[in-house]
Amino acid sequence: HSQARDCFRESVDADSQHLHAWQSWAVAEKQLGNVELARILFRQGLKHGPFHGALWQGYAVMEMQQGSVEIARTLFAEAVRRAPLHAQSYQAWACLEARLGQLHRARALAWQGIKKAPPHAALWTVAGLVEDRLGDVERAKRVLEEGIQRFPFHGALYKVLGEIELRQGHTAAARLLFERGVEEDPHYAPVYHAAALLEAKLGNLENLSNLHQRAKAHFQATATSSPSTSTSKRAPSDLNEVDSFRLSNKKDAVVDEREREKQDIIERIMQLELAARESRRQGRGVGLPEHLTLQHQQFSSDSDSFILELGQPLG
């Protein structure tokens, strides 16, 4: 850590306008638990780059994670005022308000971002989720459908819309959406689980087995091709390497998290397949034991809540 810290210090000393270096250093210190130092670094970065949206967003997300809601709101307000084209700031602020139960405020922020910022799939996903939580299901469906038209490779849109259709009893429509989600965004693990849960509840063992094999083949292949994150990296040696160092470390963290998620999904699909086969073997007909259905429905619901977690990039 000290080697990387020294490099960041040398970088901002050499160029105080290197705003990515300020941001990366602040985020690194936050991850190490050095929150006060991270605050100082965010402030210093913003002093040199007051219109840098990612700095404002990162600072706001950190304060929210520390439980300082009003400070986070103030920082988000500055983010969208000073960097109105930074879509992720609207997304993160809308997520904050949704998690606090301020759904009307979350709706306004999501739509503000959609109208003002460059196209951003995550904003459409959040907007659809918020409309659904507000009880305007038909509007939620329209939002998600338009999101899919604009961003056909964004798996979360298919999953959220498919679950709304399923809730309304439109099984065929839900199955089609889940299947499209798997096809268009094969890296998005939760849509595999949503599809598998539907097939297991219907007792479609052939489709369920096919999903299990597809998930294993795809996710295990990507895990094999991903670079190991256990290999130690040297710190960047000069200013020009800071951005690549930052992106490499960030990518490793994301890869680790996503690989864990994918392996968890494979295990859950296998559990569903085994339970569905056992139900058929014992002559219980189609479906799953109630406790298992509830367990998997809760997991699927949690993945939607995860979309509203601060700082989760969805597009």
Side-chain angles (χ1 to χ4, degrees):
H1 301 310
S2 61
Q3 189 179 5
R5 185 178 290 124
D6 289 343
C7 179
F8 284 129
R9 184 179 292 108
E10 291 171 6
S11 298
V12 297
D13 286 345
D15 181 5
S16 62
Q17 298 300 314
H18 195 343
L19 304 180
H20 285 308
W22 287 110
Q23 179 198 7
S24 302
W25 190 3
V27 170
E29 295 295 351
K30 180 194 74 171
Q31 292 173 339
L32 292 171
N34 302 323
V35 175
E36 287 303 323
L37 177 54
R39 286 191 178 106
I40 293 170
L41 294 168
F42 276 125
R43 290 168 187 160
Q44 283 294 107
L46 288 167
K47 178 181 176 181
H48 295 289
F51 302 103
H52 193 267
L55 273 167
W56 287 106
Q57 181 205 2
Y59 192 1
V61 168
M62 184 185 76
E63 292 297 350
M64 179 54 199
Q65 290 170 341
Q66 298 301 310
S68 303
V69 174
E70 292 308 318
I71 293 175
R73 281 176 168 152
T74 299
L75 292 168
F76 278 129
E78 285 298 304
V80 300
R81 183 176 74 86
R82 293 174 181 263
L85 299 182
H86 191 252
Q88 292 87 344
S89 292
Y90 297 99
Q91 174 198 340
W93 193 2
C95 290
L96 161 61
E97 299 299 346
R99 290 173 64 203
L100 293 173
Q102 301 297 320
L103 294 175
H104 290 283
R105 185 181 292 183
R107 170 198 271 167
L109 287 164
W111 282 108
Q112 186 181 354
I114 286 171
K115 291 175 181 177
K116 289 188 175 183
H120 188 56
L123 273 171
W124 287 88
T125 310
V126 170
L129 272 172
V130 170
E131 296 294 349
D132 186 39
R133 293 191 179 193
L134 280 167
D136 196 339
V137 178
E138 292 308 311
R139 184 175 181 182
K141 288 170 65 173
R142 290 194 299 272
V143 169
L144 294 163
E145 286 165 358
E146 185 172 351
I148 287 172
Q149 290 177 2
R150 291 171 179 263
F151 310 98
F153 305 112
H154 193 69
L157 287 163
Y158 294 95
K159 177 184 180 293
V160 176
L161 180 55
E163 288 179 336
I164 292 175
E165 294 287 5
L166 195 57
R167 209 168 62 223
Q168 293 185 312
H170 305 152
T171 303
R175 174 186 278 134
L176 179 60
L177 284 161
F178 294 149
E179 178 62 26
R180 285 187 62 197
V182 169
E183 290 290 337
E184 300 290 355
D185 189 3
H187 299 286
Y188 188 65
V191 77
Y192 285 86
H193 179 261
L197 180 57
L198 172 58
E199 300 300 346
K201 288 163 70 174
L202 295 174
N204 294 326
L205 296 182
E206 184 177 350
N207 290 351
L208 183 55
S209 177
N210 180 48
L211 274 167
H212 184 197
Q213 295 306 314
R214 288 170 69 184
K216 281 202 319 185
H218 180 77
F219 293 155
Q220 290 175 353
T222 56
T224 302
S225 63
S226 297
S228 172
T229 59
S230 62
T231 304
S232 60
K233 294 185 180 68
R234 66 176 180 83
S237 60
D238 57 41
L239 181 62
N240 293 329
E241 291 186 354
V242 169
D243 283 339
S244 60
F245 179 77
R246 170 179 66 90
L247 292 173
S248 177
N249 282 341
K250 182 178 180 180
K251 180 181 178 182
D252 282 350
V254 171
V255 166
D256 280 345
E257 182 176 339
R258 288 181 177 172
E259 290 309 323
R260 284 193 295 270
E261 178 186 52
K262 290 172 181 177
Q263 294 309 310
D264 186 33
I265 291 294
I266 291 173
E267 291 174 7
R268 289 178 183 276
I269 293 175
M270 181 173 65
Q271 183 187 42
L272 288 169
E273 183 179 359
L274 291 172
R277 289 188 183 281
E278 183 64 15
S279 291
R280 177 175 293 186
R281 189 184 69 80
Q282 294 186 6
R284 295 200 299 261
V286 301
L288 296 169
E290 183 178 0
H291 75 281
L292 192 59
T293 300
L294 292 173
Q295 175 187 336
H296 282 266
Q297 286 175 338
Q298 183 61 52
F299 174 78
S300 190
S301 176
D302 287 345
S303 75
D304 288 344
S305 297
F306 183 72
I307 292 173
L308 298 180
E309 288 292 319
L310 285 176
Q312 298 303 329
L314 297 177

